[in-house]
Amino acid sequence: MALETLAKLKARMAQVDDLNAAAAVLGWDQTTYMPPGGAPARGRQLATLSQLSHERFTAPEVGQWLGELADWAAGRPDDDDDACLVRVVARDHARMTRIPNELVGRLSAHTAASYAAWEVARPADDFATMRPHLETTVALAREVAEHFPHDHIADPLIDFADPGMTVVTVRTLFDALRPRLVELARAIAARPEPDTSCLRGTFDVAAQRAFGETVIRAFGFDFQRGRQDTTAHPFMTSFSIGDVRITTRFREDDVGDGLFSTLHEAGHAMYEQGVDPALEGSTLAGGASSGVHESQSRLWENVVGRSRGFWDHWYPELRATFPHALRAVEVDTFHRAINRVMPSLIRVDADEVTYNLHVMLRFDLELALLAGDLAVADLPGLWRERMTADLGVTPPDDRDGVLQDVHWFGGLVGGAFQGYTLGNVLSAQLFDAAVRAHPEIPGDIASGRYHVLRDWLTQNLYRHGRKYLPVDGVTRAVGAPMSIEPYMAYLQGKFGALYGL
Ligand code: ZN
């Protein structure tokens, strides 16, 4: 009986997955190859697919099947694929059905209008235009959250992105992290600044692309099951375990921008390519949360890709690729340049030490907006105050201040940013656990070999997809709960050596 119901649930989830994947293909095309004339019809096509998917998923019979399967799933082993499927679908289903359809409609119409306005307002440094949009966004975010039980109004929104996390758990982690990051950044600021001029010059874009693809092929990104294209804002998207795509942008005058973006998105993609094929089409074939996903992009981009061992192996090839620009630059100089710590205005360009201070600022402001402690009208001023206090730099305008990130203007306020810092913390903790299991990994990296690291990650994290709550999945992988200690040890070790602290 349960098996018949399970078969019906799986068939329905496969349909939902197909509709979502079709929408993802259209979305990928929209930001890579679609001519501008395609925009109006593409918006309509995406809306149709997401509506169909939502209808198929929230249909009354799905709730009935989940009800019938709850006891059966509870009696199965914790790691059983089917039991995990029932639990995860039940969680997604509860979320989708609590939010009324008419609110979903208002939300997507508002978000589209706000995003279109932001695309014009940001370059024009025009916060006044965005103010009413953002006021509506905050009101809608509150309305969404009110449909869920919560201690803090932001809790449901955080849980959407990082299941199992709350304001309290995130805040506890951030409060422990902040003073240690500030102390490290201060100590670094007192040391001489590295020379970064070697990163600027003229770097042929086709050669940059070929170099980046050579590196990620060595990492284990599978081009038989993925590809790379160029776009304005890099991202990763997955249509199935057999088709995971990344996008990158290159700047001819900057050798780091495109390369580290490629390594970052490849980290996201290898996670998706590493999911157990048995989970294909089941809604379990994806990342566990925004934080766990980001841990993989940051691990491959920073912990591996900005390490000295990595460059001991790759620098000769990079230099041979760009002899004109790099002939007189030693690997030491290059490695210091790509790891320069310098408080700056823009989150996405921030170094590893100050990056999390950008995230914490946004997290605090989100909570204040949602709790009604901060009016949208006062947001740009408070942003400037916090940037000055936290990072020691003051944005000259809103374009490079409060308007810089798309998240609040093309999505919801609440839950949008904490995953970046959770990802940084987890990147070090997972790498640390892999090295404890296989002490040869750092030596491998210095020789351009990555399969031991990648296989450990696949075995302990990637293959499980969304089967476990992030907190459980991480504990399974590293044998301990999430902790900031490996991350602080990583930062202090690396930047202590680079800056002679
Ligand atoms: Zn990312």
Side-chain angles (χ1 to χ4, degrees):
M1 194 58 200
L3 291 180
E4 270 171 46
T5 309
L6 181 68
K8 283 190 241 175
L9 182 72
K10 282 184 169 179
R12 179 63 59 89
M13 286 308 112
Q15 286 182 337
V16 169
D17 198 61
D18 289 345
L19 289 164
N20 292 344
V25 177
L26 293 188
W28 168 85
D29 173 69
Q30 187 173 31
T31 55
T32 49
Y33 295 106
M34 187 186 79
R42 186 54 50 89
R44 199 184 62 237
Q45 292 152 357
L46 282 165
T48 300
L49 285 171
S50 66
Q51 196 188 337
L52 282 171
S53 160
H54 190 259
E55 278 171 18
R56 300 301 286 160
F57 190 57
T58 56
E61 61 271 21
V62 177
Q64 198 185 316
W65 298 335
L66 288 167
E68 287 170 29
L69 288 165
D71 284 344
W72 174 84
R76 311 271 302 170
D78 276 357
D79 59 351
D80 179 71
D81 285 356
D82 292 334
C84 290
L85 176 76
V86 172
R87 278 196 293 272
V88 171
V89 173
R91 196 175 76 211
D92 292 349
H93 188 260
R95 176 183 310 162
M96 291 265 221
T97 49
R98 273 173 190 268
I99 306 173
N101 250 327
E102 66 77 31
L103 175 53
V104 174
R106 269 191 291 139
L107 207 57
S108 67
H110 168 70
T111 314
S114 175
Y115 178 74
W118 175 79
E119 279 193 298
V120 182
R122 191 198 168 199
D125 185 30
D126 177 10
F127 183 77
T129 296
M130 293 317 295
R131 181 182 153 183
H133 287 289
L134 192 55
E135 284 167 348
T136 305
T137 306
V138 171
L140 286 168
R142 290 188 54 93
E143 196 178 337
V144 167
E146 290 292 359
H147 288 285
F148 298 82
H150 57 264
D151 291 325
H152 189 289
I153 187 75
D155 282 346
L157 304 163
I158 291 171
D159 187 75
F160 293 169
D162 292 290
M165 301 297 287
T166 63
V167 168
V168 170
T169 52
V170 174
R171 175 136 281 160
T172 305
L173 195 103
F174 284 9
D175 285 351
L177 200 53
R178 170 191 285 280
R180 296 171 70 175
L181 291 173
V182 169
E183 192 192 324
L184 181 59
R186 281 216 184 102
I188 290 170
R191 303 291 302 158
E193 247 185 70
D195 176 9
T196 57
S197 59
C198 61
L199 303 177
R200 320 281 166 249
T202 305
F203 303 92
D204 176 68
V205 163
Q208 284 190 52
R209 181 178 175 143
F211 181 83
E213 292 191 351
T214 303
V215 174
I216 63 173
R217 191 173 276 115
F219 278 178
F221 179 87
D222 181 356
F223 278 90
Q224 292 301 310
R225 297 187 295 131
R227 54 178 287 131
Q228 172 168 253
D229 295 271
T230 53
T231 187
H233 304 285
F235 63 93
M236 182 277 310
T237 184
S238 169
F239 312 144
S240 71
I241 297 168
D243 189 353
V244 182
R245 311 218 180 164
I246 60 174
T247 61
T248 305
R249 64 171 170 221
F250 296 99
R251 286 175 46 178
E252 198 177 41
D253 63 349
D254 184 328
V255 73
D257 207 44
L259 174 64
F260 289 110
S261 153
T262 297
L263 305 191
H264 181 99
E265 300 307 333
H268 282 301
M270 288 193 291
Y271 186 3
E272 301 265 343
Q273 288 184 336
V275 173
D276 182 349
L279 303 179
E280 181 74 278
S282 70
T283 78
L284 295 183
S289 68
S290 74
V292 177
H293 231 303
E294 197 66 10
S295 80
Q296 292 317 294
S297 54
R298 303 291 279 184
L299 187 153
W300 290 101
E301 176 196 356
N302 290 333
V303 182
V304 175
R306 288 182 210 265
S307 71
R308 180 55 197 253
F310 175 90
W311 285 106
D312 281 340
H313 176 77
W314 287 105
Y315 190 68
E317 187 165 336
L318 187 75
R319 200 186 213 176
T321 308
F322 303 109
H324 194 69
L326 298 175
R327 187 182 300 120
V329 180
E330 296 305 320
V331 61
D332 213 41
T333 307
F334 182 81
H335 182 240
R336 283 172 195 280
I338 57 166
N339 283 296
R340 180 176 73 153
V341 175
M342 173 66 72
S344 60
L345 295 173
I346 306 294
R347 174 184 60 87
V348 295
D349 296 335
D351 60 80
E352 289 184 75
V353 177
T354 61
Y355 185 93
N356 300 295
L357 300 175
H358 291 265
V359 173
M360 291 177 193
L361 175 154
R362 286 154 177 75
F363 183 73
D364 290 343
L365 296 180
E366 281 192 328
L367 297 194
L369 286 168
L370 289 166
D373 298 335
L374 169 62
V376 168
D378 298 329
L379 180 64
L382 192 57
W383 182 288
R384 275 191 288 276
E385 275 174 38
R386 279 288 303 262
M387 282 298 294
T388 310
D390 294 7
L391 285 128
V393 291
T394 308
D397 52 32
D398 294 329
R399 190 172 68 92
D400 288 339
V402 67
L403 290 173
Q404 68 180 264
D405 293 306
V406 64
H407 307 56
W408 292 343
F409 304 103
L412 277 182
V413 169
F417 289 101
Q418 77 283 329
Y420 293 112
T421 288
L422 298 177
N424 286 334
V425 168
L426 289 172
S427 70
Q429 196 172 6
L430 284 156
F431 186 78
D432 189 59
V435 173
R436 264 186 288 118
H438 300 283
E440 70 272 30
I441 286 174
D444 279 358
I445 291 174
S447 314
R449 292 194 305 265
Y450 308 97
H451 63 277
V452 174
L453 173 61
R454 196 188 61 252
D455 289 351
W456 186 91
L457 290 166
T458 303
Q459 197 57 29
N460 290 282
L461 184 70
Y462 298 173
R463 72 186 171 96
H464 300 309
R466 295 180 70 212
K467 274 175 70 175
Y468 306 117
L469 276 176
V471 54
D472 299 330
V474 168
T475 307
R476 268 171 189 275
V478 305
M482 184 169 19
S483 160
I484 63 168
E485 296 308 329
Y487 182 52
M488 285 312 306
Y490 159 73
L491 289 179
Q492 275 154 350
K494 173 173 176 175
F495 291 97
L498 277 166
Y499 280 89
L501 301 177

